[in-house]
Amino acid sequence: MLYLVNLAAISLWMAILLRKRTLSLHSVVTAYVIGVGVADFFEGLFNVVLGLYQFPTHLRTDPAFDNELGVVFSDFLILPFVFIIFVHYAARTAHPWRVSIAFAALHVSLEWIYVKLGYLTYVHWSVLYSACFYVGGFRFGAYLAPRISSYRPPIPYRLRLLCFSHMILMWVSAVFALPLLKLYQFKPGLFHNIITDCRVAELVTGDILSVLCALFIPMTPHRLKPAVFAAIAGIGAFIAVFAYSQGWLIYYHWNLFLSVLRYVVPVGLIMLYDRWESAYQVALNGGKCK
């Protein structure tokens, strides 16, 4: 319940700030996808792979399901929404360091409450480690904030495209794969823990496409981009077929056609994002494409 209360409070705070229209939709999307990318990287390493802490949300009785819900709440909702709020304040102050410390202190305090109430369990972790990451993360976020809010200069497009691609591909896997909806499971046998095995395989296969998008799309002429996106989607389809043929992909309420769509549809959304961002950059440059 504490996760739901926190998400509701953060969402309300963010909605109030966004009504002031101090951030463009492009800035909001950029802040969100960077927030997801950074949070998911560290969460995947420290929580899923190393198991240094767990998220008992107390919303389900299955510990693996419960922890995965905590990851979704933290990585894809609460922390990215907080970063959007942070960008709003940090981009408009002459003292971004003070804003960074204030947000870091707030989150260290919230984490302490989570631990005391049993909504966060330390296995090989400490609140001091979290404090270091919060201070460093928000301080770096303060450097990015003016670039996110104004696009003058913007954060390098390859980084934005990489983060967006990761976000859209990982949202699909986080919801449909084991352990949430349990429609399918990756099982390459890299880890003994079936949840870790599935989540890492999803991360690797999804980020192969993310990296390909970030590498090749910015350098591709506009007229050739549909062909490049089609080729990247084709690689995703090949991954799905190959994984299934090797017995690394197990279906529960899923099939090979849906596995192909699991990669092709997100790549299509990445293509739409690329067109949207490209048009915005042209508008910012007075009709000139850089």
Side-chain angles (χ1 to χ4, degrees), residues 4-38:
L4 295 175
V5 172
N6 192 359
L7 176 60
I10 293 297
S11 299
L12 179 60
W13 187 2
M14 181 180 68
I16 291 172
L17 294 181
L18 293 183
R19 287 189 64 185
K20 298 180 180 180
R21 300 183 184 278
T22 54
L23 293 176
S24 71
L25 183 57
H26 289 265
S27 297
V28 171
V29 171
T30 298
Y32 176 76
V33 299
I34 290 176
V36 170
V38 173

Side-chain angles (χ1 to χ4, degrees), residues 113-136:
I113 293 173
Y114 269 65
V115 172
K116 291 300 180 182
L117 295 181
Y119 286 88
L120 178 60
T121 302
Y122 291 155
V123 180
H124 300 289
W125 197 253
S126 166
V127 70
L128 294 178
Y129 302 155
S130 294
C132 292
F133 278 101
Y134 282 130
V135 171

Side-chain angles (χ1 to χ4, degrees), residues 235-246:
I235 293 172
F238 171 79
I239 289 173
V241 173
F242 181 76
Y244 181 70
S245 69
Q246 297 297 309

Side-chain angles (χ1 to χ4, degrees), residues 59-168:
L59 296 174
R60 298 296 293 264
T61 56
D62 181 354
F65 193 115
D66 210 34
N67 181 67
E68 186 65 17
L69 276 180
V71 171
V72 171
F73 275 117
S74 175
D75 292 9
F76 292 93
L77 297 171
I78 294 174
L79 288 176
F81 287 179
V82 166
F83 189 56
I84 293 171
I85 295 169
F86 175 79
V87 167
H88 169 86
Y89 290 109
R92 287 161 181 76
T93 177
H95 305 285
W97 178 250
R98 297 178 185 176
V99 179
S100 302
I101 292 297
F103 271 78
L106 173 62
H107 280 78
V108 170
S109 300
L110 286 174
E111 183 162 316
W112 182 83
I113 293 173
Y114 269 65
V115 172
K116 291 300 180 182
L117 295 181
Y119 286 88
L120 178 60
T121 302
Y122 291 155
V123 180
H124 300 289
W125 197 253
S126 166
V127 70
L128 294 178
Y129 302 155
S130 294
C132 292
F133 278 101
Y134 282 130
V135 171
F138 281 119
R139 187 65 194 94
F140 183 64
Y143 166 74
L144 297 179
R147 295 169 174 259
I148 293 173
S149 65
S150 67
Y151 271 58
R152 298 185 184 276
I155 292 173
Y157 183 54
R158 277 193 168 86
L159 177 59
R160 286 180 281 142
L161 185 59
L162 177 67
C163 290
F164 182 89
S165 303
H166 172 89
M167 180 276 297
I168 202 70

